[in-house]
Amino acid sequence: MQPPIPSAANANTLLQLSKLIPTYMGYSEKPSNDDDKELREYIRLEWTNCRKTIESLRVTSNDKQKKTDFDTLLTEIDVIESELRTSPTGAMAKKIDKLSSIDKKTIENLVQIDLDIIEIIKKIQASITETSHSSDQESYSGIEAIISQITQFRSKYNARRAIINGVPLDVVQGQKTKSSIKWVQIASLSISLLAIGVTIYFNLR
């Protein structure tokens, strides 16, 4: 099967991503099937750059509040980097090998989420740089905006991971359809069974 031609809906998105990651093909079928790995590596490197910038700002700052805020950001990045290292990729390679089983809308949404994630990281980098330009306490507005952007990143990344691991698109988007309700019911049942199992285990000890 040949890689699908980008649709009008995501051609521009693919173009923007390919400028950042030259080998990115939008999860089209190809021998290596490594778009997921390459994107995660790009994200990891971007967060490493954020860390280096914050560490440099912390060293040069004489403001106690800024140092505390920079420590908070470094802790947030520690958590994100840990999540990236342990993030399961699911059976993406197998799914792409059977491209016909993945609907076009899901692929397009996954590509758009990838671009959204990168754009959020760029905004975070810009906000960090802006923080460094706040030379006095009056012009310093804290890190609330950066923390909010980090929350947005986590939300998008979790949605991306859910799609890759087979969660239906309508469930990820919070739409109430028959399939999404079924997934919620399955998840609820699994949690209930786990709770029952744990209760039985401790009662039998």
Side-chain angles (χ1 to χ4, degrees), residues 87-135:
S87 175
T89 58
M92 175 52 84
K94 292 181 180 178
K95 291 175 184 177
I96 295 177
D97 284 338
K98 300 176 181 177
L99 201 60
S100 60
S101 67
I102 306 176
D103 64 276
K104 186 177 180 181
K105 184 179 179 182
T106 297
I107 292 292
E108 289 179 351
N109 274 269
L110 182 59
V111 171
Q112 183 60 53
I113 288 174
D114 287 351
L115 180 60
D116 290 344
I117 286 172
I118 291 177
E119 289 180 340
I120 291 172
I121 296 175
K122 296 296 184 184
K123 288 180 181 178
I124 291 172
Q125 292 172 333
S127 296
I128 293 172
T129 301
E130 185 177 337
T131 297
S132 69
H133 293 158
S134 303
S135 57

Side-chain angles (χ1 to χ4, degrees), residues 42-69:
Y42 181 89
I43 293 172
R44 188 188 67 78
L45 291 174
E46 291 299 296
W47 277 113
T48 298
N49 291 335
C50 286
R51 167 182 288 283
K52 290 179 179 178
T53 300
I54 294 171
E55 288 175 339
S56 176
L57 291 172
R58 191 190 184 287
V59 169
T60 57
S61 177
N62 295 318
D63 187 288
K64 186 176 179 180
Q65 182 57 53
K66 279 189 177 182
K67 283 184 177 291
T68 299
D69 287 347

